[in-house]
Structure formats: C-alpha cells, structure tokens
Amino acid sequence: MKKKMLLLNTTVLLGLGGVLSTPAYASTIQDMESQKSQIQNQRQDVQSNIKAASDELTRLQAEQDQMKAQLERLTIAEEENNKKAQKTEADIKETSKQVEQLEKEIKLLQEKLEKRNDILKDRARSLQESGGNVEYLQVLLGSSSFGDFVDRALAVSTIVDADRGILKETKNMQDELKTKQADVKSKLASLEDMKAELDEMTVQLAAQKKQKDALAKELKDKEAKNEELKASLQSQDSSLANEQSTLEQNIKDQKAAEEAARKEAEQAAKEAAKKAAEQAQKAAAAPAEKADSSSAKAEAPKASSNDVAPTSAPAPKASNVVTVGNRWIGNSAYVFGGGRSQSDISHGLFDCSSFVHWAYSQVGVNLGPLGSVSTETLKHAGTQVSSSQMQPGDLVFFDTYKKDGHVGIYVGGGKFIGAQSSTGVAIANMSSGYWKQKFNGRVVRI
C-alpha cells in the first residue's frame, strides 16, 4: 500500500513539474529583457552626448558673455574716442579761426606801420633839408626792413618823443601779435597731431570691433548648432525612453500572465494531489500506528560554548590622525579664531590650533576644552621630543607672527598638515622654503 501511495505522489509531482515549466514565456521575456538592455545602453550613449553638448553650450555661453562684455567696453571706448575726436576737430576749427583773425590783424598792423614808415621817412627828408641830424637820417634810410627801421629809429637819440612813443607802441603790438600767432600755431599743430592719433585709434577700434563681432557671430552660430544637436538628442532620448517604457510594460504584463498560469497550474496540481490522497486513504486497510509520545518530544538545543557575543566597532587609532584631515583639503578656509563651534567645523572653518584639536578628537584624543585651545595650550599638551626623533602624528610648531604662532601635524616625509592662512587645510613642505625658515624645532608628541 505504501508503495502505491509513493508511486501516486511521484506521478502527481511529475505532473506538477510539467505544468509549471513555461519555456515560451521565459524565451519571450528574455528577448524583451535583452532588447531593453540594448535600449538602456543606447540611452546612456545619447545622454552622455547630451551632457557633452550641454557642457559645450555652457562653455560657449561663458565665452560669449565674456566677448559681449569686451564688445561693450570697446563700444564705450569708441564712443568716448569719437567724442574726443569731435571736440578736437571743433577746437581745431576755433583755433584756425583765431590764427586767421590774428593774421588779419598782423597784416593790418603791418600796413599801418608801413604808412607810418613813409611818414617817418618824409619827416626824415624834411629834417635833412632843413639841416637836421645826419645820423638820424642815415639810420632811417639804411634800414633793410620795417622792423629793422623801427629798431633803428628807437636807437636814435635825436628822434622826437612823439615819434618814439608811436614806434614803441607799434613794436609792442607787433611783438605781442607774433607771440600769440606762434602760440596759436603751436596749439594748432598739437591738436592736429592729437586728431591724427585719435583717427588712427578709431580705425583700430573699428577693426577690432569688427573682428569681435565676427567672433561673436561665430560663437552664436556654434551655440545654435549645439542647441539643435541637444534638442535632437533629447528627442532621440525621449523616443528611446518611450520604447523602454513600452518594453517594461510588456515585460510586466508577460510576467503577470506567467504568474497567473503558474498559480493556475499549482492549484490544479494541489487538487490532483488531494484526490490521490483521498483515494489512497480509502484503499488503506490497516489501522495507522500511533506514534510513540516519548519519541515525539524534541530536546531543546543547548547553548554552545563556542557562541560569540557581538562586538562593537574597533576604536579609532591615534595613528590615523595624520589622514583624518584630508577631507578638508581644498574644502576649507582659514579663519583666525575659527573652528571653535560646530557650525564652523561643519563649514570647514579652522585656524591652526582648532584644526589640530579637531583632528585628534576624531581619533578619540581630547586635547582640552575646544573654546580655549591655542598654540600655547597645545605645546604643553604632550611630551616634547627632539626634532631628530620626529614621527607622524607629532605636533610641529613654527614662529610666524609670534613665537610658536603656528602649529600642524607631522605626516612624514618632511611634510605636515595644518590649517594654513593662505590655503585652508593643506599639506605643506617644512623641509624647504618658507616653513623650513619658520620651523623653530619644537616637536610635541601626544
């Protein structure tokens, strides 16, 4: 009878295994999963290209913004230059008018003096005819020019006072006009030089602005092309995303159908097994044997002496103090008196002594109250050793703005880590340069 029941159960299990086997489903899902993986790979490539296009757009935009600022500066310079050129041209015209007016005045004065010259010559002849001073006559008649005549006439002591006054006034006017004419001509020459320089500058600025405009247009065209490329890539990514979403839904539906079929087959198998069991019970003739109660009792498991109690995480090692501060390198700033509040520490704001205090606290070493830590307290926090015996983790001191004004943690190889005023937390070389000069030989071992 037992053999018949065993045979029947085996038959039922074999039937159940046959029902649950669904190679068609597995093949379909496997194909869709493979297709989905391919689409995901394609999307990764597309998204990578989108990022590259976005980065290029950002770079081009920054370059274009810089170019726009430069163009604005050039435009302002060109406007100011044009204003100066226009003013210079106006000054040149005004000065030219002044020169022209002075030349007219000089010409009129010369005509007036020539008339006076004739008058004086006539008077000189009359003086000669009446037996006047021969020296005066010779001086006047021997002059080579009107200017020379005036100078000679003034030198003759026998000239009448009336003539002398006229001649002096005339000469002063002539000299003044000549001086003004020379000054105005000099100013005119200077203005013309300035205008030539401004004209050249205007040409250069216009050429440079033209080049900048061309470059700005080129950048704009590149930006437009990149925008077009980015839009195309985003469209492609959206299409792939839709395709991926469709596949995922198909896979989900296929798995749901497979699960429903599996449950249906499992239920059929259970019903078949139930019927087989009922038939087997009816066929059984012999009464079932009672199980021995003593053998049904299970002994409780005894605790093993080899069981190990859970342990806590190992305590941090003091030797790690040389590396715990690396997280702040390039991510911190030196603040005198900083690092003495949790807010400062959270933002990476340290001075040299607070950084040392923080680093040692990370490895379980307390260097005293945080609020009062200083280079002065730290140099008494441990045992002083010779610099020749310096080891990683030792505190090293430097004479900066005062003796022992700076402190750091020796990391080995002639270098130390500390909060430096110029860089924030950084590793510096104390074997050469500035820090070698400032190292005072004080080494403290915590």
Side-chain angles (χ1 to χ4, degrees):
M1 183 60 64
K2 291 182 179 180
K3 290 183 178 180
K4 288 182 179 180
M5 292 182 64
L6 178 61
L7 179 60
L8 182 59
N9 289 335
T10 302
T11 303
V12 172
L13 292 175
L14 288 174
L16 178 60
V19 173
L20 294 178
S21 178
T22 56
Y25 287 134
S27 176
T28 302
I29 292 176
Q30 184 177 3
D31 290 342
M32 287 191 292
E33 289 285 2
S34 176
Q35 189 175 357
K36 175 184 172 183
S37 178
Q38 292 176 1
I39 291 175
Q40 287 176 334
N41 290 336
Q42 291 177 10
R43 287 195 68 192
Q44 287 179 355
D45 292 339
V46 171
Q47 289 170 355
S48 177
N49 291 334
I50 290 174
K51 185 180 183 304
S54 297
D55 292 343
E56 179 65 9
L57 282 171
T58 301
R59 186 192 68 80
L60 287 172
Q61 186 62 55
E63 189 173 350
Q64 190 177 42
D65 291 343
Q66 184 178 3
M67 190 61 63
K68 286 180 180 178
Q70 179 65 10
L71 285 171
E72 289 175 0
R73 286 191 290 269
L74 285 171
T75 301
I76 293 172
E78 188 176 28
E79 290 175 353
E80 291 299 319
N81 183 63
N82 287 334
K83 289 180 182 178
K84 289 181 181 179
Q86 292 171 4
K87 184 178 184 303
T88 302
E89 289 175 354
D91 289 344
I92 289 173
K93 289 181 180 179
E94 180 63 27
T95 305
S96 297
K97 289 180 180 179
Q98 293 176 9
V99 171
E100 185 179 352
Q101 181 64 30
L102 286 172
E103 288 176 344
K104 288 180 180 179
E105 292 177 2
I106 290 173
K107 184 177 180 181
L108 291 174
L109 180 59
Q110 287 175 340
E111 290 176 354
K112 183 178 180 179
L113 290 175
E114 286 294 339
K115 290 179 180 179
R116 289 187 179 186
N117 183 27
D118 293 338
I119 294 173
L120 290 173
K121 285 182 178 180
D122 290 340
R123 293 182 66 179
R125 290 189 185 98
S126 298
L127 181 62
Q128 181 183 14
E129 292 173 356
S130 61
N133 191 307
V134 177
E135 179 185 2
Y136 176 59
L137 180 62
Q138 291 176 343
V139 168
L140 295 178
L141 297 178
S143 59
S144 59
S145 66
F146 182 69
D148 186 32
F149 163 73
V150 173
D151 291 336
R152 285 172 176 263
L154 289 172
V156 177
S157 59
T158 58
I159 191 170
V160 295
D161 291 338
D163 291 341
R164 184 181 296 276
I166 292 174
L167 289 171
K168 281 187 177 182
E169 181 182 354
T170 302
K171 180 173 174 54
N172 290 338
M173 290 176 62
Q174 186 179 26
D175 291 342
E176 181 180 358
L177 287 173
K178 286 182 178 181
T179 299
K180 287 183 178 181
Q181 185 181 37
D183 291 343
V184 171
K185 285 184 177 180
S186 176
K187 183 179 180 181
L188 179 61
S190 175
L191 289 172
E192 288 176 345
D193 291 342
M194 184 184 298
K195 183 179 182 301
E197 182 179 355
L198 288 169
D199 287 344
E200 178 65 22
M201 187 183 301
T202 300
V203 171
Q204 292 177 357
L205 284 170
Q208 189 175 8
K209 186 176 183 297
K210 184 177 180 181
Q211 293 174 359
K212 297 290 185 182
D213 286 340
L215 183 55
K217 183 179 182 303
E218 180 182 355
L219 288 170
K220 190 70 175 177
D221 292 342
K222 286 183 179 180
E223 184 179 21
K225 289 180 180 179
N226 274 274
E227 287 285 3
E228 183 179 352
L229 173 61
K230 183 179 178 181
S232 175
L233 290 169
Q234 287 174 336
S235 176
Q236 184 179 352
D237 181 62
S238 178
S239 177
L240 289 170
N242 291 335
E243 188 174 349
Q244 179 180 336
S245 177
T246 301
L247 275 172
E248 288 174 347
Q249 184 61 45
N250 290 341
I251 291 171
K252 182 179 179 181
D253 293 343
Q254 191 69 23
K255 287 183 176 180
E258 178 183 354
E259 180 66 15
R262 187 191 67 78
K263 288 182 177 179
E264 183 178 353
E266 184 179 15
Q267 182 63 30
K270 287 181 179 179
E271 291 177 358
K274 181 179 180 181
K275 288 180 180 181
E278 290 175 351
Q279 292 175 0
Q281 288 178 357
K282 289 178 181 180
E289 296 180 355
K290 293 182 179 181
D292 188 1
S293 60
S294 59
S295 62
K297 294 181 180 179
E299 295 182 358
K302 296 181 180 180
S304 171
S305 59
N306 294 328
D307 289 346
V308 179
T311 58
S312 60
K317 296 181 179 179
S319 58
N320 293 338
V321 74
V322 299
T323 58
V324 293
N326 290 349
R327 58 171 289 197
W328 295 116
I329 294 177
N331 191 32
S332 59
Y334 182 94
V335 176
F336 187 80
R340 286 164 178 78
S341 69
Q342 189 55 50
S343 176
D344 280 358
I345 294 173
S346 298
H347 292 87
L349 306 178
F350 298 99
D351 64 9
C352 61
S353 55
S354 66
F355 171 74
V356 168
H357 187 284
W358 173 85
Y360 267 94
S361 70
Q362 300 305 295
V363 296
V365 179
N366 185 1
L367 295 182
L370 177 60
S372 59
V373 66
S374 66
T375 54
E376 190 66 24
T377 63
L378 290 176
K379 74 180 183 181
H380 300 295
T383 303
Q384 296 197 26
V385 298
S386 170
S387 59
S388 61
Q389 299 176 341
M390 193 160 43
Q391 297 177 1
D394 290 343
L395 304 187
V396 287
F397 291 80
F398 304 84
D399 293 342
T400 51
Y401 68 99
K402 67 174 184 177
K403 186 170 180 59
D404 299 319
H406 189 70
V407 63
I409 301 172
Y410 186 66
V411 299
K415 297 180 180 180
F416 75 100
I417 186 171
Q420 326 296 8
S421 59
S422 58
T423 59
V425 176
I427 294 176
N429 190 350
M430 56 184 292
S431 298
S432 62
Y434 176 82
W435 291 113
K436 180 180 180 180
Q437 297 175 1
K438 298 299 181 180
F439 179 53
N440 59 18
R442 186 188 297 280
V443 179
V444 174
R445 183 162 298 161
I446 303 300

